Amino acid sequence: MSDFENATTPPPAPTGAAPQEERTMAMLAHLLGIITWFIGPLIIWLMNKDKNPNSFVSDQAKEALNFQITLGIVYLIGIILSVIVIGIFINMLAGLAGLIFAIIGGIKANGGEAYRYPFALRLIK
């Protein structure tokens, strides 16, 4: 395995069953990203990171936050490239992907399954 493949491997998901309250908060972390961009997942992560940094909520909020930051970077690139029209399509695809993946993440988190986005820069560890 090359260094590049190792660097992009997502961290392992927490094990064990999560209580319903944690699953609901994790679902909200994913779904709030649709409405509030990175603010919702950030607030949920900040509320839960000190209680138990390895909890299901903290893990999923961190994952949602990393994905929303990645989308923000993609949107910025799309805005810059909108001068040559391709940026408009990049932003439309990023918006659609953000909506779809956040809904999938919310459904999986509500079911107690840790969700990893297919593409996300893992900036918050």
Side-chain angles (χ1 to χ4, degrees):
M1 186 181 294
S2 71
D3 290 336
F4 179 73
E5 289 173 355
N6 191 21
T8 59
T9 304
T15 56
Q20 183 60 42
E21 181 180 318
E22 285 193 10
R23 291 186 291 174
T24 303
M25 288 298 288
M27 177 189 69
L28 281 175
H30 288 285
L31 295 179
L32 280 175
I34 297 171
I35 300 167
T36 64
W37 187 26
F38 71 92
I39 302 297
L42 176 65
I43 290 171
I44 291 175
W45 179 63
L46 288 174
M47 286 177 12
N48 291 291
K49 73 174 184 146
D50 293 332
K51 292 179 186 175
N52 184 2
N54 297 323
S55 72
F56 185 70
V57 178
S58 179
D59 175 68
Q60 291 301 291
K62 192 179 348 174
E63 185 70 16
L65 178 59
N66 281 327
F67 181 67
Q68 294 302 324
I69 291 171
T70 303
L71 275 181
I73 293 169
V74 171
Y75 288 143
L76 182 63
I77 292 169
I79 289 170
I80 292 169
L81 292 178
S82 66
V83 174
I84 56 173
V85 182
I86 188 108
I88 296 168
F89 297 111
I90 290 172
N91 281 342
M92 288 185 345
L93 286 174
L96 184 62
L99 177 68
I100 291 169
F101 290 137
I103 290 171
I104 292 171
I107 291 169
K108 297 274 187 177
N110 194 38
E113 183 181 339
Y115 181 69
R116 296 287 180 240
Y117 288 95
F119 63 94
L121 299 173
R122 309 282 192 266
L123 301 173
I124 310 294
K125 300 204 185 233

